[in-house]
């Protein structure tokens, strides 16, 4: 399973699309329709392999625990839940402590 989260950039500061394979397609497994992430079928998108480290670091800031204290499985589930929320049309600011902690609880549930 991929550890990448797709980030869409629009406007003059968007990242160039190096390979057409990376273009998001609504019907492809693990892809989001561009409209679900604030783009459209013309905008470029880039993959960010550092998202799992960012989530662990942000959790460390919010909880005071070390980033290494958060298991990879939980971090990967958090990414899956974020993608699911995006597909459902939910716009949640996960950088804020309360939504981030709610996401951690959801991802840690058995």
């Amino acid at each position: 399973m991929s550890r990448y989260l797709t980030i869409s950039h629009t406007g003059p500061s968007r990242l160039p699309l190096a390979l057409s394979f990376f273009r998001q397609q609504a019907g492809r497994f693990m892809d989001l329709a561009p409209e679900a992430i604030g783009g459209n079928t013309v905008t470029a998108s880039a993959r960010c392999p550092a998202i799992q480290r960012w989530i662990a670091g942000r959790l460390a800031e919010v909880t005071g625990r070390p980033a290494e204290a958060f298991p990879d499985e939980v971090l990967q589930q958090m990414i899956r839940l974020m993608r699911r929320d995006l597909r459902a049309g939910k716009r949640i600011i996960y950088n804020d402590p309360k939504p981030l902690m709610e996401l951690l609880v959801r991802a840690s549930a058995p």
Side-chain angles (χ1 to χ4, degrees), residues 55-110:
I55 293 171
R58 184 66 180 126
L59 284 169
E61 291 173 358
V62 171
T63 65
R65 295 167 46 194
E68 299 78 27
F70 302 99
D72 285 344
E73 297 80 27
V74 171
L75 297 173
Q76 290 172 8
Q77 182 64 14
M78 291 176 77
I79 293 169
R80 287 185 205 109
L81 290 170
M82 284 190 245
R83 293 178 68 90
R84 186 178 302 158
D85 290 345
L86 281 172
R87 282 200 279 313
K90 297 177 185 174
R91 300 289 185 249
I92 301 172
I93 302 171
Y94 291 113
N95 196 37
D96 291 345
K98 184 178 178 197
L100 182 68
M101 294 308 297
E102 290 170 354
L103 179 64
L104 176 62
V105 169
R106 287 171 53 203
S108 300

Side-chain angles (χ1 to χ4, degrees), residues 12-49:
S13 63
R14 74 175 181 261
L15 296 176
L17 186 62
L19 299 171
S20 63
F21 173 79
F22 292 111
R23 186 173 312 280
Q24 294 291 292
Q25 298 176 10
R28 189 166 55 188
F29 177 71
M30 292 299 293
D31 277 7
L32 289 169
E35 295 79 12
I37 54 177
N40 60 47
T41 55
V42 179
T43 60
S45 56
R47 293 182 179 245
C48 179

